[in-house]
Amino acid sequence: MKQLWICCLAGIGFTACNTGTAKKELTNGTWQASLHRADGANIVFNFLVKDTAGKKVLYVLNATDKLLVDDVKVSGDSVFIKMPFFDSDFKARFTGDGSLEGQWTRHLADKDVSIPFTAKPNTAERFPKGAAPAQQVTGRWVTTFVDKEKDKSSTAIGEFKQMGDLVYGTFLTTTGDYRFLDGSMDGDTLRLSTFDGSHAYLFKAVVKKDSIVDGRFFAGIGDHVEDWSAVKNDTAKLPDERTIATMKPGQSKLDFTFPDMNGNKVSINDDRFKNKAVVITLMGSWCPNCMDETGFLSEWYQKNKDRGVEIIGLAYERTPDFEKSQKALTGFLNRFNVQYPVLITGVTPADPEKGEKTLPQLTAIKGFPTTIFIDKKGNVKEVHTGFSGPGTGDHYEQFKADFERLITQLLES
């Protein structure tokens, strides 16, 4: 059996393995899944399987988030799951006890990368239940991440809520948040993880009264590891998002022209955008925070476009190739029913000159998404770097209130 499975994985593409055994079923209910890193730091998450409209769908579960995955196929003893975003998929087979084993693959611009994957049915827990919690992690924590391999450090603010042994939260940074982290306290040991098709994270640390020590952050398919520690500080704040990127001195208006998804040239100077408030979002289909912002903007635009507001997405994909970028964006935009124009810049997010090549009026592009607010006269009023998504709780609610207030100001100017 095992030799046959290896052949199926090694072949060109992936076809169902005909082992001669009876067809297995993708059991409804909650599953516990693991991505098995080579260093033994398994990234654990949960998903819920349901029957909808005569077919199987699943929801990836992280804290309060339920990410719908509706491209699920069962063939013989094999299962194929395509994630709705970030161009990744699972290929697995049923084992004798109804579990799954296989691989998760990310399709990057220039290569594919994979990691072994297993999943157990009827397992709602994320991490095994351990000792009673010996510490309380609820609150705000000034956090330092240290990447020893690159000899650099970064800061964030961790925000956590603990209910018994369960812990939810996220890390806030100047360029966005870590989305929905889900985990538990085992004595004084904190474990958190998340998976959304792009993010695949595991955090471990020891919690003391007002500090978190001996932290390890395991990221992704490879062997990337960072140390982290934190100090409790309920008044900590990030730098003002409006100060990270700004218009250059003497500049007040943007000037750009890029092709839309159909290859038609669209300019900020087109009649469609004159005498209207305009929101520009710098985004990419590879970016989880952009996914959250796109979900918000798409719904908001459908309800508010008649107020004299336009939105333009500027996409920075992982390849400068138009057709490849177009393909990567299509599913992303369809999922959110995006009705505003999204333009393909042809510049990658890794390009150190991406700002000068696309929006030279800005001081820099420091992160994705970056959102630019333009009044009815065409003047840039504010530039916001990063996005506090639904995983940030109160920060997301504050963002929505601030967004609405700023749009009203733009329309009244």
Side-chain angles (χ1 to χ4, degrees):
M1 176 81 73
K2 191 168 186 70
Q3 289 178 335
L4 177 59
W5 172 242
I6 292 172
C7 290
C8 290
L9 285 180
I12 298 175
F14 182 95
T15 58
C17 303
N18 182 8
T19 62
T21 60
K23 178 181 176 182
K24 301 294 179 67
E25 297 291 338
L26 191 61
T27 306
N28 287 349
T30 304
W31 293 60
Q32 181 197 66
S34 296
L35 303 176
H36 298 272
R37 286 169 49 112
D39 58 10
N42 296 338
I43 298 174
V44 183
F45 63 97
N46 298 99
F47 61 86
L48 172 68
V49 177
K50 297 178 67 175
D51 290 310
T52 300
K55 68 174 186 177
K56 294 288 185 182
V57 301
L58 61 86
Y59 295 86
V60 177
L61 308 176
N62 295 290
T64 58
D65 188 46
K66 296 173 65 175
L67 176 61
L68 171 64
V69 182
D70 56 7
D71 190 345
V72 180
K73 295 180 175 62
V74 179
S75 178
D77 69 349
S78 300
V79 179
F80 307 84
I81 302 168
K82 182 173 177 56
M83 296 299 294
F85 308 110
F86 318 125
D87 202 10
S88 72
D89 54 55
F90 294 89
K91 298 179 177 71
R93 73 172 179 93
F94 291 105
T95 62
D97 63 357
S99 297
L100 291 173
E101 66 176 17
Q103 62 184 8
W104 173 52
T105 301
R106 291 197 67 190
H107 305 283
L108 304 179
D110 57 347
K111 62 181 178 180
D112 290 350
V113 292
S114 300
I115 187 173
F117 155 80
T118 60
K120 296 189 298 183
N122 305 313
T123 309
E125 69 180 13
R126 200 173 190 93
F127 298 100
K129 194 170 184 65
Q135 297 290 341
Q136 174 60 244
V137 76
T138 296
R140 184 175 294 186
W141 302 79
V142 177
T143 307
T144 301
F145 291 97
V146 178
D147 185 339
K148 292 182 177 178
E149 183 177 334
K150 296 183 178 179
D151 191 27
K152 69 176 186 178
S153 63
S154 60
T155 59
I157 295 178
E159 290 195 347
F160 309 117
K161 292 182 180 179
Q162 181 177 340
M163 296 159 286
D165 64 340
L166 299 179
V167 180
Y168 299 147
T170 194
F171 290 102
L172 306 169
T173 76
T174 56
T175 57
D177 62 89
Y178 282 46
R179 303 194 77 246
F180 298 86
L181 303 181
D182 190 335
S184 62
M185 288 291 300
D186 177 357
D188 62 358
T189 299
L190 171 66
R191 293 184 179 87
L192 294 164
S193 65
T194 192
F195 174 79
D196 57 20
S198 177
H199 287 143
Y201 292 163
L202 171 66
F203 300 85
K204 293 182 179 181
V206 175
V207 180
K208 298 184 179 295
K209 182 178 180 180
D210 292 315
S211 63
I212 297 176
V213 299
D214 299 331
R216 300 280 278 169
F217 166 38
F218 304 90
I221 286 176
D223 56 1
H224 184 76
V225 183
E226 296 182 18
D227 295 336
W228 68 282
S229 59
V231 177
K232 195 168 187 180
N233 183 343
D234 288 330
T235 63
K237 294 182 179 180
L238 292 171
D240 189 332
E241 63 186 10
R242 298 168 297 180
T243 64
I244 297 169
T246 61
M247 295 293 284
K248 291 179 180 177
Q251 299 286 346
S252 62
K253 297 184 178 183
L254 299 179
D255 183 13
F256 61 80
T257 302
F258 299 109
D260 65 12
M261 291 289 290
N262 296 315
N264 301 315
K265 297 289 186 179
V266 176
S267 170
I268 184 61
N269 300 311
D270 290 346
D271 289 343
R272 172 177 178 175
F273 308 112
K274 290 182 179 179
N275 301 313
K276 292 184 178 180
V278 181
V279 178
I280 311 291
T281 173
L282 315 187
M283 48 77 69
S285 64
W286 48 270
C287 166
N289 291 135
C290 302
M291 175 183 70
D292 288 334
E293 189 193 46
T294 299
F296 167 78
L297 289 176
S298 180
E299 182 178 355
W300 187 92
Y301 181 71
Q302 292 173 44
K303 295 177 180 177
N304 293 274
K305 58 185 177 182
D306 293 336
R307 293 170 61 189
V309 181
E310 291 291 344
I311 298 175
I312 304 172
L314 297 186
Y316 296 75
E317 292 301 298
R318 283 181 163 156
T319 170
D321 183 271
F322 179 85
E323 292 185 355
K324 291 181 179 179
S325 297
Q326 181 188 50
K327 180 180 178 181
L329 282 162
T330 297
F332 183 95
L333 301 179
N334 287 344
R335 172 55 70 97
F336 293 113
N337 189 25
V338 173
Q339 297 178 12
Y340 52 82
V342 174
L343 314 183
I344 299 175
T345 65
V347 177
T348 69
D351 189 331
E353 297 181 353
K354 56 184 173 290
E356 284 296 322
K357 290 180 178 179
T358 56
L359 299 174
Q361 300 85 15
L362 286 182
T363 54
I365 298 173
K366 295 290 189 179
F368 293 90
T370 290
T371 312
I372 305 169
F373 296 85
I374 301 173
D375 68 15
K376 292 193 294 183
K377 297 177 181 178
N379 296 311
V380 173
K381 305 305 291 185
E382 292 187 8
V383 180
H384 294 195
T385 299
F387 178 73
S388 296
T392 67
D394 291 343
H395 297 284
Y396 182 57
E397 296 305 314
Q398 186 63 51
F399 155 77
K400 291 190 289 185
D402 290 343
F403 182 90
E404 186 60 43
R405 184 166 50 251
L406 182 52
I407 293 295
T408 299
Q409 293 174 359
L410 295 178
L411 291 173
E412 292 175 348
S413 61

